[in-house]
Amino acid sequence: MAANYNNSAWFYDRLSRIVYGKALVNAQVYLLKHVPANSNVLIAGGGTGWILEELSNIHPTGLNITYVEIAEHMMALSQKRNIASNKVTFINDAIENIVLSTDFDVVITPFLFDNFTEQTLEKVFAHIHSLLKRDGLWLNTDFQLTGKWWQQVLLKTMFLFFKVICGIEASRLPAIGRRFTEAGYKVVDRKTFFGDFIVTEVYTR
Ligand SMILES: C[S@@+](CC[C@H](N)C(=O)[O-])C[C@H]1O[C@@H](n2cnc3c(N)ncnc32)[C@H](O)[C@@H]1O
């Protein structure tokens, strides 16, 4: 079953701030300095779209952004964001279903992959991989387990909550880092947040 965050759109940001404070935001904003001026950027699973405003604070003009979000309520909130003078193409669909040009300088996948089973991750990862330029940058932020007991507790609680509310398919964290390694990506910048539970990485091939 495909994840559908429609039901959570109106409280998602507030709830995530209550649980994680600013960690989810800081982890993603940390990566944005890597986005070159005048680049062609793909954002997949941007949620309520606050990342568009953060990106536009850094580059008020010159970006050509394709913003793909499957949940229409998330998309409606995203379309109200201040994008300064950048150009944004909004696509309300699953990233793996759409045909796009294959010349993105940067792709951003913020907390997208944790929704998926290994099987879906494989498919979605391969699709996004095919859209990134050979020398492009892939900015990925997600949860990771580093052996602390409370990470498992939080993760299980989140999976259960979002399964009930949004019907997400995952009930365990897929091996996200392994996908990047197997596809030949190398980490050029990395930082962890919230006691290592959140990892934000810049990958290149
Ligand atoms: C966990 S939320 C993260 C939202 C946002 N990136 C943030 O950090 O606040 C995952 C988002 O990905 C979207 N999503 C899930 N599967 C998707 C897919 N296959 N294609 C595009 N968006 C998807 C969901 O609708 C949801 O808004």
Side-chain angles (χ1 to χ4, degrees), residues 3 5 12-13 28 45-47 50 68-71 74 93-96 110-112 115-116:
Y5 276 73
Y12 185 91
D13 284 349
Q28 293 173 59
W50 58 261
V68 184
E69 171 51 63
I70 196 173
M74 289 291 198
D93 204 341
I95 181 68
E96 63 274 26
F111 297 98
L112 173 71
N115 291 294
F116 301 142

Side-chain angles (χ1 to χ4, degrees), residues 65-86:
I65 303 169
T66 302
Y67 186 92
V68 184
E69 171 51 63
I70 196 173
E72 58 179 303
H73 294 171
M74 289 291 198
M75 186 53 107
L77 294 171
S78 301
Q79 284 172 322
K80 293 187 187 138
R81 297 290 180 176
N82 182 358
I83 55 164
S85 302
N86 293 306

Side-chain angles (χ1 to χ4, degrees), residues 40-161:
N40 212 1
V41 182
L42 170 67
I43 302 174
T48 67
W50 58 261
I51 196 167
L52 288 170
E53 296 190 345
E54 295 289 348
L55 197 47
S56 300
N57 284 340
I58 299 172
H59 295 292
T61 187
L63 296 179
N64 196 347
I65 303 169
T66 302
Y67 186 92
V68 184
E69 171 51 63
I70 196 173
E72 58 179 303
H73 294 171
M74 289 291 198
M75 186 53 107
L77 294 171
S78 301
Q79 284 172 322
K80 293 187 187 138
R81 297 290 180 176
N82 182 358
I83 55 164
S85 302
N86 293 306
K87 180 173 174 268
V88 182
T89 306
F90 291 97
I91 303 174
N92 184 200
D93 204 341
I95 181 68
E96 63 274 26
N97 289 350
I98 54 175
V99 178
L100 290 167
S101 65
T102 55
D103 61 347
F104 287 99
D105 303 298
V106 180
V107 299
I108 307 179
T109 46
F111 297 98
L112 173 71
F113 295 140
D114 58 44
N115 291 294
F116 301 142
T117 58
E118 289 290 351
Q119 213 180 3
T120 309
L121 171 61
E122 186 178 358
K123 192 170 75 177
V124 177
F125 187 95
H127 184 61
I128 297 174
H129 171 71
S130 74
L131 303 175
L132 184 63
K133 270 187 188 166
R134 179 76 218 173
D135 59 350
L137 295 177
W138 190 326
L139 315 185
N140 184 61
T141 308
D142 222 311
F143 297 106
Q144 66 171 0
L145 293 169
T146 59
K148 295 173 182 147
W149 66 269
W150 56 266
Q151 296 173 341
Q152 279 288 9
V153 174
L154 259 178
L155 200 61
K156 288 246 177 297
T157 309
M158 281 189 293
F159 280 137
L160 185 64
F161 180 80

Side-chain angles (χ1 to χ4, degrees), residues 113 116-118 121 172-180 182:
F113 295 140
F116 301 142
T117 58
E118 289 290 351
L121 171 61
R172 49 158 54 200
L173 199 58
I176 300 167
R178 200 173 67 206
R179 293 282 156 205
F180 283 97
E182 284 178 5

